[in-house]
Amino acid sequence: MYTYQIIMLIIVILIIYWTMRNYSSENFNLGLSVGISLIAIVIFVLTLFPQISVNLAEIVGLGRGLDLLYILAFLFILYVLFKLYNMIEDQKRRINQLISQLAIEKHDDEK
């Protein structure tokens, strides 16, 4: 087993432990905990059996398995970025509604 595989296995185990610890303390919801755990398990399997990523890359038409992993990581980061953007926009909308409601109530109280 290569050094990078040992390091990745330790990191994956720590991620799963951190996820389960945060879920039990109610910092995460079930969907987020399961999602992070599934990604960690996939990384765990790909670390133990790197030939799987090479075979998948060949199916997709890429030369190396690492190229496929980079592309998948990039797509995942884009997905997370858009989710965060939508959450921020939703929060801005809710803040604007709250400010408008408070301004109307303050105006009504002054009358």
Side-chain angles (χ1 to χ4, degrees), residues 11-28:
I11 290 172
V12 166
I13 290 169
L14 290 174
I15 288 171
I16 292 174
Y17 169 75
W18 174 76
T19 302
M20 293 305 140
R21 191 174 127 231
N22 281 328
Y23 175 69
S24 64
S25 67
E26 298 180 9
N27 290 338
F28 286 170

Side-chain angles (χ1 to χ4, degrees), residues 83-98:
K83 287 286 282 184
L84 288 173
Y85 176 77
N86 286 334
M87 289 171 62
I88 290 170
E89 288 298 317
D90 184 53
Q91 190 74 356
K92 281 174 36 178
R93 182 187 53 78
R94 290 172 50 203
I95 289 171
N96 285 337
Q97 286 177 343
L98 180 62

Side-chain angles (χ1 to χ4, degrees), residues 44-89:
F44 187 84
V45 169
L46 290 177
T47 301
L48 286 178
F49 308 106
Q51 190 61 33
I52 294 173
S53 65
V54 173
N55 293 339
L56 290 174
E58 288 175 1
I59 291 170
V60 175
L62 298 172
R64 299 180 304 168
L66 194 56
D67 294 340
L68 175 66
L69 296 178
Y70 284 146
I71 291 170
L72 291 175
F74 178 74
L75 292 174
F76 178 74
I77 290 170
L78 278 177
Y79 170 75
V80 170
L81 180 68
F82 286 124
K83 287 286 282 184
L84 288 173
Y85 176 77
N86 286 334
M87 289 171 62
I88 290 170
E89 288 298 317

